[in-house]
Amino acid sequence: MCTLEQRSNIFVLTLTGNDDEHRLSPTLIAAILSALRQIKSVATSGSVLITNSQGRFFSNGLDLPWALAAGCRLKALARLTQMVESLRHVVAELVSLPIPTIAVVQGHAAAAGFVLALSHDYMLMREDRGVLYMSEIDLGGCLPDYFTVLFRAKIGSGLARRDVVLGGRKVRGREAVEMGIVDGVWGCEQSLREASMELAERLGSRKWDGKAYEKMRKGLYPKLCIVVGAVEDRILPAKL
């Protein structure tokens, strides 16, 4: 599902598995949440998180096949709601980490997978293969409240938000940079991973105070903190 590795002061969280779509099932969400809480418990000044994945997907969103396998519409909706609310806690943990966070998008990041990546402080992307895509408009779905608030918080251009959310635009690397969604793109997986390590080392060398970093991040995104339940230096239970 995922692995957590520590290289000096850098934590590397990798989405793994034979199914390289890395759909956010209850099991994978729980594993990510556990890893983030473990990181928070041991992080020190100078720590940094890199989140990446194996294969051609960063994450293809929530595990819709698992939800649909429930057998009826009401049960499928209950499963979908369960995953949406569980992912809310992941976003809350990322907002509350006292360290810089970097998402390395080497493949497709769709729907909730896009949300997972966007919840990090920095996003780096592969130019030739990475695609960002919010599929809800094409599937006839609606965005959970914290998805919408996250997009408003992290994507400054209203036109870019319109194209991504209402237009279902499949955004590739160079376009993502131009739209202000990602920090940079690289031509191959090796150069992308090297760039993420260089960024992590540079951020870690600043040795910022963790509590100050967390509070300043929360100050940047107050509405996001409210909707995911990450306020007052603690994570509150999200409302169902």
Side-chain angles (χ1 to χ4, degrees):
M1 288 276 113
C2 69
T3 62
L4 180 61
E5 177 185 0
Q6 186 172 357
R7 305 175 188 174
S8 185
N9 63 324
I10 300 172
F11 295 94
V12 180
L13 176 62
T14 304
L15 308 184
T16 63
N18 294 328
D19 177 7
D20 73 352
E21 289 191 23
H22 309 300
R23 287 187 177 272
L24 295 166
S25 65
T27 302
L28 179 53
I29 293 173
I32 295 171
L33 193 57
S34 176
L36 294 178
R37 288 172 174 168
Q38 180 181 342
I39 291 167
K40 190 172 185 178
S41 70
V42 298
T44 60
S45 176
S47 293
V48 180
L49 167 65
I50 295 174
T51 301
N52 59 32
S53 63
Q54 297 176 344
R56 63 191 186 92
F57 283 87
F58 178 79
S59 170
N60 201 19
L62 297 175
D63 193 348
L64 297 183
W66 176 75
L68 295 174
C72 73
R73 189 174 184 278
L74 285 178
K75 290 181 179 180
L77 182 59
R79 286 188 174 188
L80 181 61
T81 300
Q82 175 190 343
M83 290 185 288
V84 167
E85 293 306 317
S86 296
L87 186 62
R88 187 189 301 265
H89 291 295
V90 171
V91 176
E93 287 290 348
L94 284 166
V95 171
S96 301
L97 280 180
I99 62 175
T101 59
I102 304 167
V104 180
V105 182
Q106 94 300 340
H108 304 325
F114 189 172
V115 167
L116 176 62
L118 197 61
S119 297
H120 291 71
D121 299 326
Y122 300 85
M123 280 180 65
L124 311 183
M125 193 170 173
R126 183 166 166 175
E127 182 177 12
D128 63 333
R129 195 169 66 177
V131 174
L132 306 175
Y133 172 46
M134 290 303 293
S135 57
E136 281 77 359
I137 190 68
D138 291 326
L139 296 176
C142 296
L143 294 184
D145 58 352
Y146 68 96
F147 281 32
T148 302
V149 174
L150 176 68
F151 275 91
R152 291 185 65 85
K154 292 297 190 81
I155 301 179
S157 165
L159 294 178
R161 291 195 301 267
R162 179 202 65 193
D163 288 349
V164 169
V165 175
L166 298 180
R169 181 172 173 179
K170 295 180 180 179
V171 183
R172 297 189 178 274
R174 286 293 171 190
E175 295 174 312
V177 173
E178 293 168 0
M179 294 168 74
I181 302 172
V182 304
D183 296 277
V185 295
W186 283 263
C188 67
E189 185 170 349
Q190 181 178 348
S191 61
L192 175 61
R193 295 194 186 281
E194 289 173 354
S196 69
M197 289 300 295
E198 290 173 3
L199 175 59
E201 290 168 357
R202 186 165 69 251
L203 293 171
S205 70
R206 304 296 295 273
K207 295 189 180 298
W208 288 310
D209 177 83
K211 279 295 181 185
Y213 192 90
E214 176 188 347
K215 288 181 179 179
M216 291 184 73
R217 184 199 286 121
K218 289 180 175 180
L220 283 177
Y221 312 121
K223 291 184 179 179
L224 178 62
C225 291
I226 290 171
V227 296
V228 299
V231 294
E232 298 179 359
D233 299 319
R234 58 197 177 99
I235 296 178
L236 301 177
K239 294 181 179 180
L240 297 178

